[in-house]
Amino acid sequence: MNELRTRYDVVVVAAGEMPKSSLANCILRNAAHVVACDGALESLLLQGIEPEAVIGDGDSITPRLKEKYKSIYHQVDEQEYNDLTKATRYALSNFDLGEKPAFCYLGAMGKREDHTLGNLSLLLHYYTHLHIAPVMVSDYGWFVPAKGSDSFASFPHQQVSIFQVDCKQLSSVGLKWEIYPFRELWQGTLNEAVGDCFAIEADGTYLVYRTHQPK
């Protein structure tokens, strides 16, 4: 069953709004590997955490920190991928992670709405093309990508949104309102779980959002 964990193979920390909850702190401190985008290094250090690697194109890190942490700083200048993807690709290339490793992204939402939307869309790219199991967590909830039929841990009155990408068949069990192959992104928002799990049957890919707290 697809549920939020507290231990991940890799936690990637981006330079958006860093979650402040005890859950996020637990995820960060229990990570097998921590990789920071260069703009997130300073905030991580303030929490007493030094990542194994810092990845970026160099435009979001101070010269002082770049010099001090040059042993773990890896500058990637190409602009085809953003820092979140560069950090993900670095982890896949440099850590022994096994098949379909679990990645958690913190600080990948907030501050810049365009960055948030871009990073959320990358979850599907990572899931489909990099073959990882990614989750993106904020203080309010979390996103996971899925493909085909799957079940998801929940609780009564948990708020749920489904953003489908290419499904021609889409249905659900355990949600307050039955879902269908939405034509617009907004049509799958503001649903609600009725029990301790729900199931989705689909023939394509989609994003699932669940809140930490019930309504």
Side-chain angles (χ1 to χ4, degrees):
M1 185 178 297
N2 200 315
E3 59 187 348
L4 187 62
R5 301 158 51 173
T6 55
R7 180 171 173 80
Y8 289 86
D9 297 307
V10 181
V11 172
V12 176
V13 183
E17 185 177 338
M18 187 66 181
K20 299 178 176 63
S21 67
S22 58
L23 171 64
N25 184 62
C26 183
I27 289 172
L28 184 57
R29 294 182 185 279
N30 285 338
H33 303 280
V34 176
V35 178
C37 299
D38 58 11
L41 176 59
E42 189 165 7
S43 66
L44 263 185
L45 295 173
L46 289 173
Q47 298 180 65
I49 296 174
E50 185 173 300
E52 289 181 58
V54 182
I55 315 296
D57 58 11
D59 65 349
S60 301
I61 186 172
T62 65
R64 180 185 66 83
L65 286 178
K66 190 175 181 180
E67 174 61 26
K68 183 175 181 179
Y69 292 95
K70 61 185 178 182
S71 63
I72 61 170
Y73 177 67
H74 305 274
Q75 185 161 322
V76 184
D77 292 322
E78 59 84 13
Q79 297 298 310
E80 177 68 18
Y81 299 110
N82 69 357
D83 286 353
L84 200 73
T85 304
K86 291 173 184 177
T88 301
R89 289 162 64 91
Y90 175 90
L92 288 171
S93 298
N94 290 274
F95 302 144
D96 184 12
L97 300 175
E99 187 176 352
K100 198 138 187 170
F103 277 63
C104 182
Y105 297 89
L106 301 175
M109 295 182 279
K111 292 187 178 179
R112 284 276 301 269
E113 289 82 357
D114 54 343
H115 285 184
T116 297
L117 186 57
N119 289 340
L120 287 171
S121 70
L122 281 169
L123 286 179
L124 289 163
H125 176 77
Y126 299 161
Y127 180 79
T128 302
H129 298 286
L130 301 185
H131 309 295
I132 68 175
V135 57
M136 194 170 288
V137 178
S138 75
D139 276 336
Y140 310 102
W142 73 101
F143 286 87
V144 295
K147 183 176 183 179
S149 299
D150 206 344
S151 60
F152 301 83
S154 62
F155 49 82
H157 306 296
Q158 182 181 37
Q159 301 301 286
V160 177
S161 290
I162 312 295
F163 300 90
Q164 82 95 0
V165 178
D166 54 7
C167 298
K168 294 181 173 58
Q169 298 177 11
L170 187 65
S171 62
S172 61
V173 175
L175 294 176
K176 188 173 182 179
W177 292 283
E178 173 71 13
I179 65 174
Y180 57 92
F182 311 116
R183 292 186 177 182
E184 306 288 346
L185 284 176
W186 56 267
Q187 290 178 310
T189 63
L190 308 179
N191 213 321
E192 186 174 299
V194 298
D196 59 5
C197 70
F198 61 90
I200 293 177
E201 292 189 6
D203 63 353
T205 53
Y206 50 95
L207 277 176
V208 177
Y209 175 78
R210 285 166 283 176
T211 58
H212 296 307
Q213 301 296 327
K215 184 175 180 179

